[in-house]
Amino acid sequence: MPEKSLKRSINFSPETLKALDTLAAKNSTTTSELVRQYVEKGLSIEGYSQDIDFIARIVRQELMAVYHLEDIKAVVEQQTNRIAKMHMKSGKIDAAAFFLLIKVLMNIAHEGTEDQFDQMLNEAVTLGVDYMQKKDFQINSFLQDTDNLRRLADKL
């Protein structure tokens, strides 16, 4: 036997009531039924949110029971240090290649003046900084655009 429904009176602004009436007509239902559906949906979302918070607390407790915070911090710190050392090595080799390139260019490019060489060096550094500021998704297309790369290199 269906549960007895109880009646409540709710006030809406004229704009909200008009929007509800229009939507109810569009969905071939009554405004009361539409409001009931929205209320039930809102209640289920609120209950779901509370369930998620409860489940998250349980997961957090279980993780902390198995993995102690100090252990997690130690692993993260170890991996962070490893990545930092890799970046330092990469930076050192990049700097060495940069200065070797400068030396090679100095030995080869005797035709230009010192000012021209300095300008070329400054523009190369500017292009390098511009390259480093590109987003990951831009890098491949930038490097594959050989016409643009040639134009940029010709400016040096």
Side-chain angles (χ1 to χ4, degrees):
M1 181 164 182
E3 204 175 298
K4 181 181 174 189
S5 57
L6 302 173
K7 188 174 184 175
R8 292 285 186 254
S9 178
I10 303 172
N11 296 323
F12 293 104
S13 69
E15 297 84 19
T16 301
L17 192 54
K18 183 178 178 185
L20 286 169
D21 289 340
T22 302
L23 190 57
K26 182 179 172 185
N27 291 331
S28 302
T29 188
T30 65
T31 302
S32 296
E33 182 58 31
L34 185 67
V35 170
R36 273 192 292 279
Q37 290 171 2
Y38 281 147
V39 169
E40 288 172 5
K41 188 172 192 174
L43 289 172
S44 69
I45 289 172
E46 181 61 30
Y48 176 77
S49 175
Q50 290 172 357
D51 290 345
I52 290 294
D53 292 342
F54 176 70
I55 292 169
R57 279 195 306 274
I58 291 172
V59 168
R60 196 174 301 114
Q61 286 173 353
E62 290 301 313
L63 280 173
M64 291 309 201
V66 175
Y67 301 105
H68 300 289
L69 189 57
E70 294 79 25
D71 296 337
I72 295 170
K73 285 181 180 178
V75 169
V76 169
E77 185 175 336
Q78 178 187 16
Q79 294 303 319
T80 304
N81 288 338
R82 183 177 149 270
I83 291 169
K85 288 177 184 176
M86 287 172 43
H87 281 288
M88 286 175 35
K89 288 178 185 177
S90 178
K92 287 178 184 178
I93 198 69
D94 289 344
F98 175 73
F99 288 109
L100 179 61
L101 178 61
I102 292 172
K103 183 65 175 175
V104 168
L105 290 174
M106 286 171 58
N107 289 337
I108 293 173
H110 288 295
E111 298 98 33
T113 66
E114 278 190 37
D115 287 340
Q116 288 172 329
F117 187 79
D118 290 347
Q119 182 181 354
M120 179 178 61
L121 200 54
N122 285 332
E123 289 174 0
V125 170
T126 301
L127 287 173
V129 170
D130 181 54
Y131 172 80
M132 292 301 293
Q133 290 175 342
K134 293 200 179 307
K135 305 289 184 213
D136 288 343
F137 68 89
Q138 297 172 311
I139 296 295
N140 287 340
S141 60
F142 175 77
L143 293 175
Q144 290 171 353
D145 186 356
T146 56
D147 290 336
N148 184 46
L149 293 175
R150 284 190 186 125
R151 278 192 303 278
L152 292 172
D154 281 341
K155 290 180 184 178
L156 299 177

